[in-house]
Amino acid sequence: MSAHSPEHGRYDAIIVGAGVGGLYAIHRLRKLGLSVRAFEAGGGVGGTWYWNRYPGCRCDVESLEYSYSFSDELQQEWRWPERYGTQPEILRYINHVADRFDLRRDIEFNTRVKEALFDGPTSTWTVKTDTGKTATARFCVMATGNLSTPRKPDIAGLESFKGKWYHTGLWPHDGVDFTGMRVGVVGTGSSGVQSIPIIAKQAKHLYVFQRTANFSLPARNVPMPPDKESAHKAEYPARRRAAYDTPFGIAGYPPPVKSALDATEEERLKAYEAKWAEGGSISYLYSYTDLLLNKEANDTASEFVRRKIRATVKDPKTAELLCPNDHPIGTKRLILDTDYYETYNRDNVTLVDIRSKPIQEITPTGLRIADGEYALDAIVFATGFDAMTGAMKEIDIRTDAGLSIQAKWQDGPRTYLGMMIAGFPNLFMITGPQSPGVKSQMILACEQHVDWITDCIQYLRDRGLTCIEAEEAAEDAWVQHNNEVADRTLYPLANSWYVGANIPGKPRVFMPYVGGVTAYKKKCDEVAANGYRGFHFGASFKEQAAAN
Ligand code: NA7
């Protein structure tokens, strides 16, 4: 393979993105002896944790789980101060990982990849960046993230607004002080729900513009109990292994044993109450076996949360508006909050229903809906992302055979195992669509993919092979399997970003794999153990040398 040669930008592997997945890919591929180059649009490492600096931003998976497992020294030495990591803490951790494993020297920051072109005869990818750089490599690894393409809605008049506006996913690095301001937050997904209680404490008045109510559970965040930390750390390797044997890649939650419909009303209330008190989404959804499979079972868990909302929010009209009624609980990303519903009891917070009275325009002084204008000094768009496919489709990914990712994914993503795409040889994705990624513990998902990709490249090298590509038939079968698995659940009932419903015109396709981490990993391991079943290989180095 080629030696590192920065002048000509020739590498063995190009990695797009230096978030959690990209960083680990640098580490593993470098250890394999490959020359690697990562391009990162941000000015630092961290991906989603680099960009999402909005107030209250916090992970919804517990810190002791949401961390790398590849180095026992790392997981033993890092101290997580709280049950759930805040964005600054997680970013500090990712920076520590980058330094500890000397990853920065292979990363070009402030550099966005705009194009990636595959050349068949040489089995290489050439990428072009917005800084005018061209780089070539045999392998291209897309570590571009699932929630990395922020979308603000197309609302007329935004350019005329005299105040300041922000997107939660592109938050200013030096923070925003809303003291004394009239602030509007548009959007009540995780980003809205996490930031609203904090902005409410600063703002003179906060208007929350809600189109759809979401379910949110108390996080019950606490400082990390020292005994919990030491017990967890003592069992870390076993816990990490056990995580692969769970549906969501998170160990430590006893799996449910019975249907919600086999429990009495009294039993159910007791169970839900205990989970509500404990905090956390996995725990709640693990109350019964069928909460994500059976609507009637789910109704019991959904109604419990609606009752909690009604009991918390004093104004009955506001409470009713906050009660989600268009989707079963858990079929959209279940939110964890701190004092979200309580915030609506503050005198300086107003919930505005933009479902019945949609936003008409933004004016120089505020935001107008059907029944009038709300005067605002600042607007926060917590309006989400072009999830799962947005970042890939923003790059002009093409092959010399005339195939483009835009055309290939016109009707929704098609992948084999969420890691490769038929027609795009030597292009790997970390946590791509049709893998469990966003439906699991993301760092575990990234590690599993990077390990698989590293083993795959090792396999090719051992055999002198230069090219691997997913077979069309294997991809078709995988896409079909994904859809069948999703259709057995309640997930498709929700208008979520899992189906692209938040982006007007995006094809409605269920994108994450929801067959569970255990089944997914088993499938990936079997494919590899069987000589990468469902993939075909291109010319060997020897054949290529002979042809030249
Ligand atoms: P989400 O979960 O996609 O939430 C976006 C919110 O913004 C949601 O309430 C949307 O309402 C609302 N939205 C989007 N477009 C509009 C327009 N045009 N008008 C009014 N309201 C709108 O994004 P988040 O950033 O909160 O969270 C993303 C993930 O990050 C989260 O699931 C975690 O995994 C971490 P809608 O529901 O579409 O009616």
Side-chain angles (χ1 to χ4, degrees), residues 147 153 186-192 211-212 214 332-333 354-355 382-385 497 502:
L147 294 159
V186 182
T188 50
S190 281
S191 306
R211 187 163 70 180
T212 314
N214 277 311
K332 280 180 158 187
R333 179 86 177 196
I354 53 166
R355 166 75 55 197
T383 45
F385 303 85
W497 54 258
N502 60 324

Side-chain angles (χ1 to χ4, degrees), residues 24 187 254 320 398 441:
Y24 183 51
E320 221 39 54
R398 281 177 289 123
Q441 200 272 82

Side-chain angles (χ1 to χ4, degrees), residues 48 52 54 60 147 151-155 167-169 186-193 209-214 326 332-335 354-355 359 382-385 438 495 497-498 501-502:
T48 195
N52 284 270
Y54 61 83
D60 55 5
L147 294 159
R151 281 294 145 112
K152 69 165 176 58
D154 219 0
I155 304 173
H167 190 288
T168 47
V186 182
T188 50
S190 281
S191 306
V193 167
F209 297 93
Q210 174 188 273
R211 187 163 70 180
T212 314
N214 277 311
D326 75 327
K332 280 180 158 187
R333 179 86 177 196
L334 191 46
I335 302 170
I354 53 166
R355 166 75 55 197
I359 296 175
T383 45
F385 303 85
V438 295
N495 290 321
W497 54 258
Y498 299 146
N502 60 324

Side-chain angles (χ1 to χ4, degrees), residues 136-149:
T136 303
R138 170 131 301 139
F139 304 106
C140 186
V141 181
M142 306 302 288
T144 42
N146 284 279
L147 294 159
S148 48
T149 311

Side-chain angles (χ1 to χ4, degrees), residues 65 242-251 286 439-441 444 517-518:
E65 293 283 333
Y244 280 114
D245 270 328
T246 65
F248 300 110
I250 302 174
Y286 262 26
K439 289 304 305 163
S440 66
Q441 200 272 82
L444 167 139
V517 166
T518 315

